[in-house]
PDB file of all heavy atoms in Angstrom:
ATOM      1  N   ALA A 146       1.926   1.281   0.747  1.00  0.00           N
ATOM      2  CA  ALA A 146       2.806   2.456   0.748  1.00  0.00           C
ATOM      3  C   ALA A 146       3.322   2.812  -0.666  1.00  0.00           C
ATOM      4  O   ALA A 146       3.448   3.947  -0.979  1.00  0.00           O
ATOM      5  CB  ALA A 146       3.962   2.202   1.709  1.00  0.00           C
ATOM      6  N   THR A 147       3.599   1.881  -1.418  1.00  0.00           N
ATOM      7  CA  THR A 147       4.011   2.121  -2.810  1.00  0.00           C
ATOM      8  C   THR A 147       2.998   2.768  -3.611  1.00  0.00           C
ATOM      9  O   THR A 147       3.283   3.732  -4.274  1.00  0.00           O
ATOM     10  CB  THR A 147       4.468   0.788  -3.498  1.00  0.00           C
ATOM     11  OG1 THR A 147       5.376   0.121  -2.647  1.00  0.00           O
ATOM     12  CG2 THR A 147       5.115   1.001  -4.862  1.00  0.00           C
ATOM     13  N   ASP A 163       4.965   8.334 -33.279  1.00  0.00           N
ATOM     14  CA  ASP A 163       6.240   7.606 -33.581  1.00  0.00           C
ATOM     15  C   ASP A 163       6.665   6.809 -32.377  1.00  0.00           C
ATOM     16  O   ASP A 163       6.946   7.318 -31.312  1.00  0.00           O
ATOM     17  CB  ASP A 163       7.260   8.658 -33.902  1.00  0.00           C
ATOM     18  CG  ASP A 163       8.606   8.092 -34.225  1.00  0.00           C
ATOM     19  OD1 ASP A 163       8.791   7.687 -35.418  1.00  0.00           O
ATOM     20  OD2 ASP A 163       9.438   7.964 -33.327  1.00  0.00           O
ATOM     21  N   ALA A 164       6.758   5.505 -32.532  1.00  0.00           N
ATOM     22  CA  ALA A 164       7.038   4.576 -31.499  1.00  0.00           C
ATOM     23  C   ALA A 164       8.419   4.866 -30.850  1.00  0.00           C
ATOM     24  O   ALA A 164       8.511   4.819 -29.654  1.00  0.00           O
ATOM     25  CB  ALA A 164       6.974   3.142 -32.004  1.00  0.00           C
ATOM     26  N   LEU A 173      13.373   8.757 -20.804  1.00  0.00           N
ATOM     27  CA  LEU A 173      13.960  10.011 -20.298  1.00  0.00           C
ATOM     28  C   LEU A 173      13.194  10.590 -19.185  1.00  0.00           C
ATOM     29  O   LEU A 173      13.702  10.978 -18.124  1.00  0.00           O
ATOM     30  CB  LEU A 173      14.076  10.999 -21.477  1.00  0.00           C
ATOM     31  CG  LEU A 173      14.686  12.327 -21.094  1.00  0.00           C
ATOM     32  CD1 LEU A 173      16.139  12.109 -20.626  1.00  0.00           C
ATOM     33  CD2 LEU A 173      14.638  13.263 -22.362  1.00  0.00           C
ATOM     34  N   PRO A 185      -0.059   6.192 -28.573  1.00  0.00           N
ATOM     35  CA  PRO A 185       0.283   6.447 -29.981  1.00  0.00           C
ATOM     36  C   PRO A 185      -0.708   7.442 -30.706  1.00  0.00           C
ATOM     37  O   PRO A 185      -0.378   7.870 -31.822  1.00  0.00           O
ATOM     38  CB  PRO A 185       0.229   5.072 -30.594  1.00  0.00           C
ATOM     39  CG  PRO A 185      -0.793   4.302 -29.786  1.00  0.00           C
ATOM     40  CD  PRO A 185      -0.631   4.837 -28.429  1.00  0.00           C
ATOM     41  N   GLN A 188      -6.758   9.852 -29.530  1.00  0.00           N
ATOM     42  CA  GLN A 188      -7.947   9.131 -29.138  1.00  0.00           C
ATOM     43  C   GLN A 188      -7.629   8.020 -28.142  1.00  0.00           C
ATOM     44  O   GLN A 188      -8.389   7.818 -27.176  1.00  0.00           O
ATOM     45  CB  GLN A 188      -8.558   8.441 -30.419  1.00  0.00           C
ATOM     46  CG  GLN A 188      -9.970   7.840 -30.136  1.00  0.00           C
ATOM     47  CD  GLN A 188     -10.941   8.994 -29.669  1.00  0.00           C
ATOM     48  OE1 GLN A 188     -11.104   9.980 -30.357  1.00  0.00           O
ATOM     49  NE2 GLN A 188     -11.542   8.803 -28.503  1.00  0.00           N
ATOM     50  N   ASP A 198      -5.716  12.390 -14.178  1.00  0.00           N
ATOM     51  CA  ASP A 198      -4.534  12.142 -13.352  1.00  0.00           C
ATOM     52  C   ASP A 198      -3.243  12.707 -14.031  1.00  0.00           C
ATOM     53  O   ASP A 198      -2.179  12.647 -13.369  1.00  0.00           O
ATOM     54  CB  ASP A 198      -4.329  10.670 -13.142  1.00  0.00           C
ATOM     55  CG  ASP A 198      -5.472  10.053 -12.384  1.00  0.00           C
ATOM     56  OD1 ASP A 198      -6.020  10.652 -11.491  1.00  0.00           O
ATOM     57  OD2 ASP A 198      -5.851   8.854 -12.701  1.00  0.00           O
ATOM     58  N   CYS A 201       1.071  16.642 -16.669  1.00  0.00           N
ATOM     59  CA  CYS A 201       1.599  17.277 -17.844  1.00  0.00           C
ATOM     60  C   CYS A 201       1.558  16.390 -19.028  1.00  0.00           C
ATOM     61  O   CYS A 201       1.700  15.186 -18.918  1.00  0.00           O
ATOM     62  CB  CYS A 201       3.129  17.559 -17.549  1.00  0.00           C
ATOM     63  SG  CYS A 201       4.003  18.387 -18.914  1.00  0.00           S
ATOM     64  N   TYR A 225     -10.639  20.229 -18.963  1.00  0.00           N
ATOM     65  CA  TYR A 225      -9.348  19.727 -18.444  1.00  0.00           C
ATOM     66  C   TYR A 225      -8.370  20.893 -18.520  1.00  0.00           C
ATOM     67  O   TYR A 225      -8.200  21.538 -19.569  1.00  0.00           O
ATOM     68  CB  TYR A 225      -8.859  18.539 -19.210  1.00  0.00           C
ATOM     69  CG  TYR A 225      -9.591  17.245 -19.011  1.00  0.00           C
ATOM     70  CD1 TYR A 225     -10.552  16.776 -19.956  1.00  0.00           C
ATOM     71  CD2 TYR A 225      -9.386  16.530 -17.850  1.00  0.00           C
ATOM     72  CE1 TYR A 225     -11.221  15.617 -19.705  1.00  0.00           C
ATOM     73  CE2 TYR A 225     -10.090  15.345 -17.592  1.00  0.00           C
ATOM     74  CZ  TYR A 225     -10.979  14.920 -18.560  1.00  0.00           C
ATOM     75  OH  TYR A 225     -11.705  13.736 -18.317  1.00  0.00           O
ATOM     76  N   PHE A 231       4.243  21.032 -26.312  1.00  0.00           N
ATOM     77  CA  PHE A 231       4.310  20.450 -27.629  1.00  0.00           C
ATOM     78  C   PHE A 231       5.779  20.211 -27.993  1.00  0.00           C
ATOM     79  O   PHE A 231       6.578  21.075 -27.724  1.00  0.00           O
ATOM     80  CB  PHE A 231       3.683  21.434 -28.637  1.00  0.00           C
ATOM     81  CG  PHE A 231       2.181  21.482 -28.689  1.00  0.00           C
ATOM     82  CD1 PHE A 231       1.494  22.375 -27.928  1.00  0.00           C
ATOM     83  CD2 PHE A 231       1.559  20.571 -29.529  1.00  0.00           C
ATOM     84  CE1 PHE A 231       0.139  22.329 -28.005  1.00  0.00           C
ATOM     85  CE2 PHE A 231       0.132  20.574 -29.577  1.00  0.00           C
ATOM     86  CZ  PHE A 231      -0.582  21.448 -28.810  1.00  0.00           C
ATOM     87  N   VAL A 234       8.535  18.024 -34.807  1.00  0.00           N
ATOM     88  CA  VAL A 234       9.488  18.285 -35.827  1.00  0.00           C
ATOM     89  C   VAL A 234       8.818  19.083 -36.919  1.00  0.00           C
ATOM     90  O   VAL A 234       9.502  19.758 -37.729  1.00  0.00           O
ATOM     91  CB  VAL A 234      10.119  16.965 -36.412  1.00  0.00           C
ATOM     92  CG1 VAL A 234       9.126  16.168 -37.263  1.00  0.00           C
ATOM     93  CG2 VAL A 234      11.363  17.195 -37.165  1.00  0.00           C
ATOM     94  N   GLY A 236       6.442  21.653 -36.614  1.00  0.00           N
ATOM     95  CA  GLY A 236       5.761  22.987 -36.202  1.00  0.00           C
ATOM     96  C   GLY A 236       6.258  24.130 -36.958  1.00  0.00           C
ATOM     97  O   GLY A 236       7.493  24.232 -37.305  1.00  0.00           O
ATOM     98  N   GLY A 248      -2.826  28.231 -24.542  1.00  0.00           N
ATOM     99  CA  GLY A 248      -2.418  27.909 -23.164  1.00  0.00           C
ATOM    100  C   GLY A 248      -1.283  26.897 -23.052  1.00  0.00           C
ATOM    101  O   GLY A 248      -0.951  26.547 -21.917  1.00  0.00           O
ATOM    102  N   ASP A 251       4.822  25.310 -23.425  1.00  0.00           N
ATOM    103  CA  ASP A 251       6.044  25.467 -24.298  1.00  0.00           C
ATOM    104  C   ASP A 251       5.731  24.806 -25.605  1.00  0.00           C
ATOM    105  O   ASP A 251       4.872  23.950 -25.715  1.00  0.00           O
ATOM    106  CB  ASP A 251       7.253  24.891 -23.567  1.00  0.00           C
ATOM    107  CG  ASP A 251       8.530  25.616 -24.013  1.00  0.00           C
ATOM    108  OD1 ASP A 251       8.563  26.314 -24.980  1.00  0.00           O
ATOM    109  OD2 ASP A 251       9.468  25.629 -23.164  1.00  0.00           O
ATOM    110  N   GLN A 267       9.435  21.196 -15.674  1.00  0.00           N
ATOM    111  CA  GLN A 267       9.435  21.947 -14.360  1.00  0.00           C
ATOM    112  C   GLN A 267       8.513  23.131 -14.421  1.00  0.00           C
ATOM    113  O   GLN A 267       7.781  23.382 -13.565  1.00  0.00           O
ATOM    114  CB  GLN A 267      10.817  22.324 -13.932  1.00  0.00           C
ATOM    115  CG  GLN A 267      11.646  21.111 -13.498  1.00  0.00           C
ATOM    116  CD  GLN A 267      13.137  21.344 -13.314  1.00  0.00           C
ATOM    117  OE1 GLN A 267      13.679  22.320 -13.881  1.00  0.00           O
ATOM    118  NE2 GLN A 267      13.756  20.567 -12.541  1.00  0.00           N
TER     119      GLN A 267
END
Side-chain angles (χ1 to χ4, degrees):
T147 305
D163 181 84
L173 181 60
Q188 192 60 54
D198 298 324
C201 177
Y225 285 104
F231 281 91
V234 73
D251 213 335
Q267 290 171 335

